[in-house]
Amino acid sequence: MPGGSPEAYSQLEGMLVQIAAQTPSGPCVTWVGHGSAGHYVKMVHNGIEYAIMQLISEIYSVLKFGSLSNVEIAEIFEEWNEGELKSFLIEITAVVLRKKDEHSDHSLVDLILDKAKQKGTGMWTSQSAMDLNVPIPLIDTAVTMRFLSARKEERVQASSLYNIEHDSPSYSREKLIQLCKQSMLFGMLLSYGQGLDLLNQASANYKYEINISEVIRIWKGGCIIRSGLLDELQEVYTRNMSLKNILLSDNYVDVFTQTRKSVIELINYAMHHGVPVPCISSALNYFDAYRSAELSSNLIQAQRDYFGAHTYERKDMPGTFHSNWEEK
Ligand code: 3PG
């Protein structure tokens, strides 16, 4: 994902093309944009990576709660990896879940301390999105969950304080797996969508001139977030370079409409059992908020005007208004 001087890139291009991963869509390298565009694109790649990893770990926790063994979950991921969810992260998760500990009979994953660390790129993605006012809640949630997971000692203490009874819907194993698959698809598409939204905004703001379709193309091979979903996504952005959000593309209306019901059922199951699925929930709330022609933010505007005279706009007439809210 090199950026910077196009002249420098053209001098290095021959070598970079040869060492890049090769796919049917070409070598996975291109000049991504001016200035710091290369670092920025790689940073957003990692933000998307955090979201997809968190989604997979939530699916794993739901299936584990549903009494599936690590090998059974690995089999499910292997099957998914043959279809539309085919991706590096799904593929390696199956391998991880099958790995035995060399010192015992346990799966190695069961012996790994549940404190996720980080080098910071996901956090930088969230910080930059805040600066640019771009909503990327899946990535934000994934970063937050790494911080929360790191508070192991507090979590252990809290777990002894809250002995909550769980009543619950119960699904057949087949149904649970189906709900997980649909939720994974829903969340993964939105993870890409939110990352690309941020790239679009950053490109305009920092004058990077990023070609989003080319970025998607070079993410198809040799990348942690490579997946089969990127084929259609690249086509969509190639046809419409100025697409503002994946949710505004006709291509995805059916898939989001159809998978939403499964996402709700999965969240319902997880919530009732006390299994946290923050990233999947965040995906659903983002979707429902984004597709809402009316939100409750009119009330926030009224509150801001009440306590700070920050003014508001009206639906029925142009201009900027301030009210004396206590006047009868
Ligand atoms: C990567 O290889 O993508 C990063 O090193 C992963 O970042 P993390 O250490 O912050 O998870």
Side-chain angles (χ1 to χ4, degrees):
M1 299 167 224
S5 146
E7 294 74 34
Y9 178 76
S10 64
Q11 287 184 36
L12 295 171
E13 188 174 12
M15 176 193 69
L16 294 174
V17 162
Q18 284 192 42
I19 62 171
Q22 307 293 326
T23 70
S25 309
C28 292
V29 65
T30 189
W31 175 77
V32 296
H34 297 282
S36 56
H39 289 330
Y40 200 93
V41 169
K42 174 63 168 93
M43 178 190 76
V44 173
H45 165 284
N46 281 27
I48 296 169
E49 169 187 313
Y50 274 46
I52 297 174
M53 289 170 76
Q54 177 63 29
L55 286 166
I56 293 175
S57 82
E58 291 176 17
I59 295 294
Y60 153 71
S61 71
V62 168
L63 292 172
K64 206 170 151 179
F65 182 85
S67 300
L68 276 81
S69 69
N70 288 329
V71 170
E72 287 171 322
I73 302 172
E75 283 165 2
I76 291 164
F77 284 138
E78 281 157 2
E79 195 187 312
W80 292 359
N81 199 42
E82 299 295 317
E84 60 194 333
L85 290 173
K86 181 173 177 54
S87 54
F88 175 76
L89 285 167
I90 294 280
E91 180 187 317
I92 65 159
T93 306
V95 176
V96 164
L97 289 168
R98 281 187 183 279
K99 178 82 176 167
K100 285 278 176 212
D101 173 39
E102 58 183 284
H103 306 291
S104 68
D105 287 342
H106 291 99
S107 293
L108 182 53
V109 70
D110 290 340
L111 300 172
I112 295 180
L113 187 64
D114 53 334
K115 288 165 85 163
K117 305 219 169 158
Q118 55 187 309
K119 301 242 179 61
T121 44
M123 183 181 70
W124 301 342
T125 307
S126 284
Q127 286 171 334
S128 177
M130 293 276 169
D131 287 341
L132 296 172
N133 296 188
V134 182
I136 54 161
L138 269 113
I139 296 171
D140 300 337
T141 305
V143 174
T144 291
M145 283 309 292
R146 293 212 185 179
F147 296 142
L148 205 152
S149 78
R151 297 191 169 200
K152 174 79 173 175
E153 294 74 18
E154 290 170 52
R155 289 191 287 113
V156 169
Q157 194 184 344
S159 73
S160 67
L161 294 176
Y162 298 97
N163 190 12
I164 294 170
E165 296 260 317
H166 299 298
D167 70 315
S168 53
S170 113
Y171 300 137
S172 70
R173 174 177 287 226
E174 290 65 38
K175 166 131 183 172
L176 192 58
I177 294 169
Q178 197 49 27
L179 296 182
C180 283
K181 187 177 183 189
Q182 301 292 298
S183 302
M184 189 67 222
L185 179 60
F186 186 92
M188 204 159 156
L189 283 172
L190 284 179
S191 301
Y192 288 125
Q194 292 179 8
L196 295 175
D197 188 350
L198 176 58
L199 273 190
N200 248 328
Q201 197 58 46
S203 182
N205 221 70
Y206 303 130
K207 303 188 172 38
Y208 285 152
E209 294 185 26
I210 294 172
N211 178 330
I212 299 285
S213 152
E214 269 294 277
V215 167
I216 299 170
R217 184 186 68 74
I218 64 166
W219 283 349
K220 286 191 197 175
C223 273
I224 290 177
I225 63 168
R226 72 164 163 75
S227 85
L229 298 177
L230 295 177
D231 287 330
E232 184 174 6
L233 207 51
Q234 193 206 340
E235 276 171 39
V236 164
Y237 273 91
T238 305
R239 268 202 315 275
N240 182 3
M241 289 288 195
S242 56
L243 181 67
K244 283 196 157 56
N245 192 295
I246 188 174
L247 292 175
L248 298 177
S249 160
D250 290 344
N251 279 60
Y252 292 103
V253 173
D254 285 349
V255 70
F256 281 117
T257 309
Q258 285 155 14
T259 50
R260 180 177 174 274
K261 190 167 174 293
S262 299
V263 176
I264 293 170
E265 284 189 89
L266 184 90
I267 293 170
N268 186 32
Y269 174 88
M271 296 281 127
H272 275 91
H273 287 291
V275 179
V277 285
C279 228
I280 298 170
S281 310
S282 167
L284 177 67
N285 279 306
Y286 172 84
F287 176 76
D288 280 343
Y290 193 87
R291 69 181 185 89
S292 292
E294 296 282 332
L295 284 173
S296 54
S297 316
N298 49 331
L299 183 59
I300 292 170
Q301 284 296 82
Q303 291 164 331
R304 292 178 65 246
D305 190 55
Y306 185 121
F307 60 65
H310 294 308
T311 72
Y312 55 89
E313 293 170 289
R314 295 178 59 113
K315 293 173 180 172
D316 56 348
M317 57 180 89
T320 305
F321 299 88
H322 167 62
S323 295
N324 182 347
W325 293 91
E326 290 179 12
E327 193 173 60
K328 295 275 189 277

